[in-house]
Amino acid sequence: MNAFYLNSVPATLTIWLMASILVLPMPADSLLGLALFGVIFTRLYRQWPFSLDTRSLPWLCATLLVGYLVCSVAWSPFWDWQDIVQVGLRGLLVMAFIAAIADAQAAPQEFLLALSRCLAVAVLIAVVASIALWWYWPPDDGRLEGLFRLNNAGKFGRTLAVILPITMAGALHDPGRWRLVHTAACVATVIALVMTDTRSAWLGATVGFIAFAVATWQPQPRAFMVTLSVIGLLLLTVLLVIVFHPNPDITRALLPRADSFRLLIWSAHIDAIRQGSVLFGQGFLAELIVPSAETTHRGAHSMYLSTLMQGGVIALGLFLLVIAGTAVRVIGRLQMPLARCAVAVLLAGIVTFVFDGDRLIDKLNLVWIALWLPLAVAVTRWLPSGHTAGTQH
């Protein structure tokens, strides 16, 4: 494992970047990001043997999507050149992030273990510290909040939801004492998820857990798809019965904050989309502030709706193609533990994106783990199966 850290410096930096979401303030992103930039471009200069499948559909669509969103700044309201530079640099960092992870896939098992160990430690630190703060300075609504950039119960819960499959993979595949650390991180994640009282995070975590369990149990693509579809239909039926149950007491118990103004926010954004350019969108910097009786709400609170508003049908179509292409490729490689983990993270992210998300190109946050990490796994030129036979179980 120490050899992996030394030989895969770019991948190690990406692992630290993902862990920093839980335990470090945002300025840490800049330092780690600059270091990643430096290493990536140094290796490019030295003819770095990329492991990227640059002809794959998800990579091509992701490149077009990031480039298109950067260009869309030019038709955003109230833009200037500084905005284009800032968004452009973040877009480049996203692509460097993907390339660095892809380059580490010559040792997929080592990368998975390094990632799960780092995130497990970060989860334990974040959850323990957050519960301590919650105990000494209880918030008005009683919901558990995270540290620094995750000082919001919803953001904290949804981030933990997409991380859960990674710590589960560590608990399953990491030998020795580290297995206890991963198990403790899984337990801490579940406790924290309950304490955040965030229904969308609960749903995302449930989907991620089920997807990882099914992928581990049925690693053949066809069997995985059939089993997951059956379970998904059953879960959807239960949710519909609960949501439309005529007893208001049950509805209040399950949805104590009703829809958290989501329907109001989504309706306002749909109206704004209709009034602008549906095809090209209103630009990456476009943002709508929706007032309600209690407060104002910034952003669409849905990655799909936000992408449609900013980049129109073109951006949303590319986004959906990235998701679909990523899913197809990782499902086709379920014999590998890293692919099983990636598909579970992606499916958990797909669910959380319904209820949260305002920018696909942003400072380090949930979207990096929920979308760009699975994409990086999907666009890798994997080694022949014989080279990884010893690390498949």
Side-chain angles (χ1 to χ4, degrees), residues 42 52 77 86 101 151 153 157 169 178 185 188 193 201 251 290 296 323 325 345 380 384 386:
T42 298
L52 278 170
Q86 184 181 60
I101 295 177
N151 61 343
W178 274 105
L193 279 168
T251 302
V290 181
T296 57
I323 291 175
V345 171
T380 299

Side-chain angles (χ1 to χ4, degrees), residues 165 168 204-219 224 228 231 334 339-348:
M168 290 174 60
T206 301
V207 170
F209 172 83
I210 292 173
F212 182 78
V214 173
T216 303
W217 174 44
Q218 298 283 5
F224 169 80
L228 190 65
I231 296 175
L334 287 180
R340 297 197 286 268
C341 179
V343 73
V345 171
L346 178 66
L347 292 176

Side-chain angles (χ1 to χ4, degrees), residues 22 125-135 137-157 160 191-198:
L22 292 165
I125 293 173
V127 170
V128 171
S130 298
I131 292 177
L133 291 172
W134 176 86
W135 180 267
W137 293 284
D140 295 335
D141 58 5
R143 302 169 67 193
L144 182 67
E145 300 175 352
L147 305 175
F148 302 112
R149 74 194 78 187
L150 299 180
N151 61 343
N152 172 281
K155 290 181 180 179
F156 189 38
L160 290 174
I191 292 173
L193 279 168
V194 173
M195 294 180 68
T196 62
D197 197 26
T198 303

Side-chain angles (χ1 to χ4, degrees), residues 44-370:
L44 276 173
Y45 177 75
R46 296 178 180 177
Q47 305 283 323
W48 187 21
F50 271 96
S51 300
L52 278 170
D53 185 358
T54 55
R55 296 183 179 180
S56 64
L57 176 66
W59 170 256
L60 292 173
C61 289
T63 304
L64 290 172
L65 176 60
V66 172
Y68 178 78
L69 289 176
V70 172
C71 292
S72 74
V73 175
W75 62 83
S76 300
F78 312 112
W79 67 275
D80 57 33
W81 291 107
Q82 183 178 352
D83 294 321
I84 292 182
V85 172
Q86 184 181 60
V87 176
L89 287 175
R90 289 179 181 174
L92 285 174
L93 183 57
V94 166
M95 306 313 288
F97 176 85
I98 297 170
I101 295 177
D103 189 66
Q105 302 316 300
Q109 186 78 350
E110 286 76 6
F111 173 78
L112 176 60
L113 294 183
L115 175 62
S116 59
R117 288 178 181 182
C118 197
L119 284 180
V121 172
V123 164
L124 289 172
I125 293 173
V127 170
V128 171
S130 298
I131 292 177
L133 291 172
W134 176 86
W135 180 267
Y136 285 105
W137 293 284
D140 295 335
D141 58 5
R143 302 169 67 193
L144 182 67
E145 300 175 352
L147 305 175
F148 302 112
R149 74 194 78 187
L150 299 180
N151 61 343
N152 172 281
K155 290 181 180 179
F156 189 38
R158 285 183 283 268
T159 301
L160 290 174
V162 299
I163 289 176
L164 179 60
I166 301 175
T167 54
M168 290 174 60
L172 184 63
H173 297 289
D174 207 348
R177 296 178 181 177
W178 274 105
R179 181 163 292 172
L180 297 177
V181 176
H182 293 302
T183 303
C186 291
V187 173
T189 298
V190 173
I191 292 173
L193 279 168
V194 173
M195 294 180 68
T196 62
D197 197 26
T198 303
R199 270 50 177 179
S200 59
W202 296 357
L203 181 60
T206 301
V207 170
F209 172 83
I210 292 173
F212 182 78
V214 173
T216 303
W217 174 44
Q218 298 283 5
Q220 297 302 318
R222 186 183 297 273
F224 169 80
M225 288 298 299
V226 171
T227 306
L228 190 65
S229 297
V230 171
I231 296 175
L233 287 174
L234 291 175
L235 179 61
L236 180 61
T237 302
V238 171
L239 288 175
L240 291 176
V241 170
I242 291 173
V243 170
F244 293 102
H245 195 282
N247 190 332
D249 293 332
I250 294 178
T251 302
R252 281 194 297 269
L254 294 173
L255 300 171
R257 296 176 299 280
D259 64 355
S260 298
F261 300 102
R262 287 298 192 277
L263 294 181
L264 173 67
I265 297 169
W266 294 345
S267 177
H269 278 76
I270 291 173
D271 290 340
I273 290 168
R274 288 174 177 170
Q275 295 171 10
S277 174
V278 177
L279 181 60
F280 297 104
Q282 300 175 23
F284 188 71
L285 302 181
E287 189 173 58
L288 190 63
I289 298 177
V290 181
S292 67
E294 298 180 9
T295 183
T296 57
H297 308 275
R298 183 183 296 272
H301 290 267
S302 170
M303 191 64 79
Y304 306 106
L305 197 56
S306 176
T307 303
L308 179 60
M309 179 177 178
Q310 295 162 6
V313 173
I314 294 175
L316 180 60
L318 288 171
F319 180 29
L320 295 178
L321 283 173
V322 169
I323 291 175
T326 299
V328 168
R329 287 177 70 90
V330 292
I331 289 173
R333 296 159 172 170
L334 287 180
Q335 75 278 4
M336 304 190 71
L338 182 58
R340 297 197 286 268
C341 179
V343 73
V345 171
L346 178 66
L347 292 176
I350 289 172
V351 173
T352 59
F353 287 156
V354 175
F355 307 98
D356 185 61
D358 296 313
R359 295 272 191 281
L360 280 172
I361 304 174
D362 204 350
K363 295 178 181 178
L364 202 66
N365 56 17
L366 176 140
V367 70
W368 288 66
I369 299 176

